[in-house]
Amino acid sequence: MSVTLDRVLVIGGGAMATGIAARLAAADIETVVLVRRREAAAPTRDEIGRRVGQLVGSVRPVTVVVGDAPGPFALAVESVAEDADAKGAVLARAETLVAEDGIVATNTSSLRLADLAEGLKRPELFAGWHWFNPAELVPLVEVTGGPRTAPDTLERLASLSRAIGKEPVTLRRDHPGFVANRLQYALLREAYALVEEGVCGVADVDRAVVAGLGARWAAIGPFASMDAAGLDVHQAVAERLFPLLSRATEVPALLRETRRSGATGMKGGRGLLGDHPPDAVREFTSRRDAVLALLAEARA
Ligand SMILES: NC(=O)c1ccc[n+]([C@@H]2O[C@H](COP(=O)([O-])OP(=O)(O)OC[C@H]3O[C@@H](n4cnc5c(N)ncnc54)[C@H](O)[C@@H]3O)[C@@H](O)[C@H]2O)c1
């Protein structure tokens, strides 16, 4: 299928929107970013520039506009706050800014596409396009449709994703948490249980994942890992282990208590792993981004 991605509008100026815009601009797509407040324009432009520089080592033109954007766009993707009303208004507006066959996409993590599509005039051209933080570096995007999304819209969005060097996974139906977040939260449920039962500490869980599961999963997925390990072994372990795994349905006590103490994670200087002073956060971020960049190089 031929792919045209002439002009893309990214709506929002936060962590995800700046990463999405950087990825598009780095792929030489004409990218316009729409922010709400005038004060947000310069920092948004700087942040996108920093991320583009990290990706391609040079500057790419990105236009940041305030309040209104000059259409038409081939695609408009919103990445504003995870709030149904805010997104509903932004998406309805986005529909007026795209070309007649232009796609309107949402980067929602948890809202149902069916609900978000309700106020739209062209739901067949509306889709979910779920990125992962840091958006410019993590290859995966999940492509999802609501009940009235046309299959062609999903195919076009998946093609566009590949054209900018992303790895699209298209879901067969709208499903809360999509694929990757459900997998992540299934792992986190067990991680909290291990810590709460005193089996290991939070830092041990992180080390086990980074040095073990994560290292392997960067190369091959969990099903391929089981095919490689041998399904006889896999079945024997599954029979023994599945009944022992956490089936908790409550938010873990460790998370609730950490939150009750006022901790918000790295953005507030303290989280599940204890204190995160600014220098340590900077070092953590650059180490994470360096590893992700190496992986991207290895995949190219
Ligand atoms: N952070 C993640 O890891 C992650 C991953 C995947 C998807 N998402 C989704 O991406 C979206 C944005 O998340 P984020 O982490 O970038 O948040 P963020 O808080 O960094 O940014 C949100 C941005 O939206 C803007 N905004 C809020 N309401 C608006 C409105 N009505 N009109 C225009 N702009 C508005 C804010 O000014 C801010 O710049 C959310 O839907 C979130 O669920 C986040």
Side-chain angles (χ1 to χ4, degrees):
M1 190 200 311
S2 72
V3 175
T4 46
L5 186 57
D6 3 52
R7 290 185 83 220
V8 175
L9 176 68
V10 178
I11 307 173
M16 296 303 291
T18 50
I20 295 168
R23 183 79 215 183
L24 289 161
D28 291 323
I29 306 290
E30 189 186 338
T31 305
V32 177
V33 180
L34 175 62
V35 296
R36 262 189 314 185
R37 292 174 297 112
R38 188 157 303 282
E39 319 81 82
T44 301
R45 195 176 304 114
D46 291 350
E47 179 58 16
I48 295 168
R50 187 189 69 77
R51 293 183 188 222
V52 170
Q54 209 174 33
L55 278 177
V56 288
S58 58
V59 179
R60 294 285 191 279
V62 174
T63 310
V64 178
V65 292
V66 182
D68 199 12
F73 295 92
L75 164 70
V77 52
E78 75 72 25
S79 193
V80 305
E82 188 75 352
D83 175 272
D85 292 339
K87 283 198 189 293
V90 165
L91 289 168
R93 185 76 208 292
E95 243 187 354
T96 68
L97 298 173
V98 293
E100 216 156 85
D101 63 347
I103 295 174
V104 171
T106 173
N107 184 33
T108 183
S109 309
S110 62
L111 298 165
R112 278 196 183 271
L113 278 269
D115 298 337
L116 290 174
E118 254 167 30
L120 297 182
K121 293 199 174 72
R122 296 195 295 267
E124 67 281 5
L125 288 164
F126 171 61
W129 201 27
H130 185 231
W131 294 58
F132 289 77
N133 188 32
E136 75 281 14
L137 288 172
V138 180
L140 176 64
V141 287
E142 290 170 312
V143 176
T144 71
R148 290 183 290 165
T149 305
D152 178 61
T153 300
L154 300 180
E155 279 165 32
R156 281 168 63 204
L157 202 49
S159 297
L160 302 178
S161 305
R162 280 188 285 273
I164 58 166
K166 303 294 282 187
E167 175 87 39
V169 168
T170 302
L171 273 66
R172 293 180 189 159
R173 63 185 167 91
D174 191 10
H175 200 47
F178 310 125
V179 172
N181 254 346
R182 290 182 82 100
L183 293 171
Q184 176 167 240
Y185 273 78
L187 186 139
L188 279 166
R189 171 159 61 186
E190 187 58 33
Y192 278 111
L194 287 165
V195 172
E196 285 174 5
E197 288 164 20
V199 178
C200 60
V202 285
D204 297 321
V205 168
D206 274 17
R207 285 194 301 119
V209 172
V210 171
L213 296 172
R216 188 203 282 153
W217 286 345
I220 59 166
F223 283 129
S225 298
M226 293 305 109
D227 271 351
L231 295 186
D232 46 341
V233 180
H234 175 34
Q235 185 177 1
V237 177
E239 273 165 14
R240 230 166 290 132
L241 222 47
F242 275 10
L244 304 178
L245 297 178
S246 172
R247 291 171 209 191
T249 55
E250 301 284 307
V251 170
L254 173 61
L255 173 56
R256 269 186 283 131
E257 279 154 25
T258 314
R259 285 287 298 119
R260 204 173 296 134
S261 76
T264 55
M266 290 189 192
K267 63 185 171 189
R270 195 159 43 83
L272 294 160
L273 283 152
D275 287 343
H276 295 294
D279 280 355
V281 173
R282 266 191 294 278
E283 198 196 312
F284 164 90
T285 308
S286 65
R287 194 173 62 239
R288 178 199 65 186
D289 291 356
V291 172
L292 286 170
L294 277 177
L295 285 173
E297 227 169 85
R299 290 168 55 87

